[in-house]
């Protein structure tokens, strides 16, 4: 069977890999190079046990500060865009305990499946991607924040997540690079099993090995429309001409909404703009972290990828805008210096921004859509968990295409 995957980010490439493993003839189309979008400079953490969606009941009391403070990690710039307002209202409706718990349970199960698939691929293919499994600390600056996190931890424990609450002193024992910051820590949630890797290296490695095995890549090519016969797609119209297939997979990240609109149906996906810097680490012992760290108050994540430290954070609802304000990069630098003052000389920051494709509930859209063409499958809307969930949703899609395999 011929399958065309639209999108060469980590989700599209994982889908291509799973489809090829099941004997499909695969074509991958993207307007850029593999991993050049939201995958390339992401937070690098593989958060299999920490998947709480952005939409949760606790967001309501934080909302005024998050939206109005100039230093807020969450920013919304209202636009004359019906889609933005509709998505925002759907997001607020999802900010309740019942929806958040249902989404968390779904995401944990999906993350467990994704972990199995990703680690099986790494073992089989031996990709060089600076993979590590040193665990993760999520830091809280107030007792109230820690107490709320412990409630979430107990909820997730019932679904198989293994985590523990730890003291500031224990945080430093786990990650000595936090010694300078210990007095600012009320406590943390520690997950020993969490991992990290260079997502861009994974994307590039997957593209190389799949191309060598016969997967066709049509890169630097825009998707301009679709050729339809009745309720099916016959071909995708691209800047390089039409490309035919029997099945199509929509994995275009935040651009999936516009592609769906072209096909006559709506996807509740909106870009959450995030930022990152990547620092070369110093050789001094205990200066740069080796354990993944998330600062819950600042909404900033730190992940070690080889001799580099990836620092990422923020979520802005500002549409498709790839401008990088210096203030945002400065904020990431300040956060890094606060937690790990000696980790780097900060001479090269490698600033990056990406549009993370978010659904209101945080749960990705996978499978068929009642108003979409019959031979179109969705694999999009992963938000900030694209790297974490990619191989789980890819396996779901591949099973729908080749259920007997």
């Amino acid at each position: 069977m011929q399958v065309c995957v639209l999108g060469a980010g980590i989700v599209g490439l994982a889908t291509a890999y799973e489809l090829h493993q099941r004997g499909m003839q695969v074509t991958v189309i993207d307007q850029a190079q593999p991993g050049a979008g939201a995958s390339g400079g992401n937070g690098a953490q593989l958060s299999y046990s920490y998947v709480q969606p952005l939409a949760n009941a606790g967001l309501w009391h934080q909302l005024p500060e998050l939206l109005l403070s100039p230093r807020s990690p969450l920013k919304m710039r209202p636009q004359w865009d019906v889609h933005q307002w509709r998505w925002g209202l759907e997001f607020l409706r999802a900010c309740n305990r019942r929806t958040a718990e249902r989404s968390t349970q779904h995401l944990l199960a999906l993350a467990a499946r994704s972990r199995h698939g990703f680690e099986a691929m790494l073992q089989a293919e031996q990709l060089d991607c600076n993979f590590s499994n040193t665990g993760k600390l999520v830091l809280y600056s107030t007792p109230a924040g820690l107490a709320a996190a412990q409630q979430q931890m107990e909820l997730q424990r019932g679904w198989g997540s293994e985590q523990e609450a730890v003291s500031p002193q224990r945080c430093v024992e786990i990650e000595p690079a936090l010694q300078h910051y210990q007095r600012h820590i009320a406590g943390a949630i520690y997950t020993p099993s969490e991992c990290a890797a260079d997502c861009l290296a994974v994307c590039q490695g997957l593209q190389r090995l799949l191309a060598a095995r016969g997967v066709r890549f049509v890169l630097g090519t825009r998707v301009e429309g679709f050729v339809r016969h009745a309720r099916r797609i016959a071909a995708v119209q691209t800047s390089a001409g039409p490309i035919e297939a029997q099945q199509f997979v929509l994995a275009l990240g935040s651009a999936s909404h516009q592609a769906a609109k072209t096909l006559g149906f709506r996807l509740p996906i909106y870009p959450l703009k995030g930022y990152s810097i990547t620092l070369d680490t110093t050789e001094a012992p205990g200066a740069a972290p080796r354990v993944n760290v998330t600062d819950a108050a600042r909404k900033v994540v730190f992940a070690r990828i080889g001799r580099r430290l990836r620092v990422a954070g923020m979520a802005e609802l500002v549409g498709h805008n790839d401008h990088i304000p210096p203030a945002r990069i400065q904020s990431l630098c300040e956060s890094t210096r606060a937690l790990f003052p000696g980790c780097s000389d900060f001479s090269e920051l490698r600033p990056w921004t990406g549009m993370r494709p978010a659904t209101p509930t945080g749960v990705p859209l996978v499978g068929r859509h009642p108003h979409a063409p019959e031979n179109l499958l969705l694999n999009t809307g992963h938000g900030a968990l694209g790297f974490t969930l990619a191989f789980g949703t890819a396996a779901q899609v591949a099973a729908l295409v080749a259920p007997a395999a």
Side-chain angles (χ1 to χ4, degrees):
M1 180 182 291
Q2 296 176 328
V3 186
C4 180
V5 178
L6 308 180
I10 186 59
V11 173
L13 290 164
T15 304
Y17 180 83
E18 293 292 336
L19 289 167
H20 182 267
Q21 290 290 95
R22 288 164 172 77
M24 302 294 103
Q25 297 178 27
V26 183
T27 298
V28 179
I29 304 172
D30 201 293
Q31 67 177 359
Q33 295 301 305
S39 302
N42 67 12
Q45 293 187 358
L46 291 156
S47 299
Y48 298 118
S49 297
Y50 199 84
V51 296
Q52 184 179 12
L54 181 62
N56 64 83
L59 192 74
W60 284 102
H61 75 273
Q62 304 174 42
L63 208 54
E65 181 182 356
L66 288 173
L67 293 178
L68 298 176
S69 171
R71 299 182 63 83
S72 169
L74 177 63
K75 177 181 179 181
M76 180 174 180
R77 183 182 301 154
Q79 300 175 340
W80 295 108
D81 179 0
V82 173
H83 178 53
Q84 184 196 54
W85 285 90
R86 185 173 178 181
W87 187 94
L89 290 172
E90 290 170 336
F91 172 78
L92 291 175
R93 281 200 295 270
C95 291
N96 62 80
R97 181 176 177 180
R98 182 178 180 183
T99 300
E101 289 184 1
R102 186 167 60 243
S103 297
T104 299
Q105 184 176 13
H106 183 107
L107 291 169
L108 281 172
L110 185 55
R113 183 175 186 177
S114 191
R115 178 177 197 143
H116 175 79
F118 179 65
E119 294 185 357
M121 182 278 295
L122 280 186
Q123 183 174 9
E125 310 299 349
Q126 297 296 302
L127 290 188
D128 182 9
C129 62
N130 294 122
F131 176 79
S132 63
N133 57 350
T134 53
K136 179 163 74 171
L137 285 164
V138 181
L139 310 180
Y140 294 90
S141 59
T142 66
L146 179 62
Q150 287 178 287
Q151 289 183 342
Q152 179 70 15
M153 180 186 71
E154 293 301 326
L155 174 69
Q156 295 187 174
R157 179 171 290 155
W159 298 323
S161 183
E162 296 183 6
Q163 301 169 303
E164 62 174 316
V166 296
S167 67
Q169 181 179 351
R170 178 63 179 141
C171 287
V172 176
E173 292 172 358
I174 295 167
E175 179 45 76
L178 285 168
Q179 181 176 357
H180 300 281
Y181 196 67
Q182 180 177 343
R183 68 182 182 277
H184 301 290
I185 303 172
I189 302 299
Y190 177 49
T191 312
S193 62
E194 297 289 63
C195 309
D198 185 339
C199 187
L200 180 59
V202 174
C203 290
Q204 293 171 338
L206 284 173
Q207 191 270 335
R208 285 193 297 269
L209 72 88
L210 288 171
R213 295 172 187 177
V215 171
R216 179 189 178 196
F217 283 86
V218 185
L219 303 174
T221 303
R222 297 186 311 277
V223 173
E224 298 180 338
F226 300 87
V227 179
R228 299 184 61 172
H229 289 164
R231 285 193 48 79
R232 296 178 65 83
I233 298 173
V236 57
Q237 197 68 254
T238 77
S239 55
I243 296 175
E244 298 181 350
Q246 294 165 291
Q247 293 280 343
F248 295 83
V249 180
L250 183 59
L252 287 173
S254 60
S256 298
H257 165 74
Q258 185 58 44
K261 189 176 179 180
T262 301
L263 287 165
F265 67 101
R266 176 182 177 267
L267 292 180
I269 292 174
Y270 196 82
L272 289 185
K273 185 180 182 182
Y275 302 90
S276 76
I277 56 176
T278 306
L279 307 168
D280 294 324
T281 57
T282 62
E283 298 296 327
R290 294 193 174 276
V291 173
N292 296 327
V293 174
T294 296
D295 186 326
R298 290 182 171 89
K299 302 290 192 295
V300 174
V301 303
F302 303 85
R304 188 70 172 267
I305 43 178
R307 295 182 177 180
R308 296 165 294 153
L309 181 66
R310 175 68 49 77
V311 185
M314 305 169 195
E316 298 182 349
L317 285 83
V318 295
H320 289 270
N321 179 349
D322 60 4
H323 173 64
I324 302 179
R328 286 313 210 183
I329 300 307
Q330 180 62 29
S331 176
L332 291 175
C333 288
E334 290 173 359
S335 295
T336 309
R337 287 190 169 100
L339 271 73
F340 309 111
C343 71
S344 173
D345 63 9
F346 294 84
S347 60
E348 190 172 357
L349 303 179
R350 303 180 185 92
W352 173 93
T353 188
M355 309 296 163
R356 297 166 295 195
T359 64
T361 63
V363 176
L365 305 175
V366 184
R368 305 197 187 276
H369 189 285
H371 303 299
E374 294 173 351
N375 60 337
L376 178 70
L377 288 160
L378 306 178
N379 195 3
T380 187
H382 296 64
L385 294 172
F387 195 15
T388 298
L389 302 178
F391 276 80
T393 60
Q396 289 180 319
V397 168
L400 289 170
V401 174

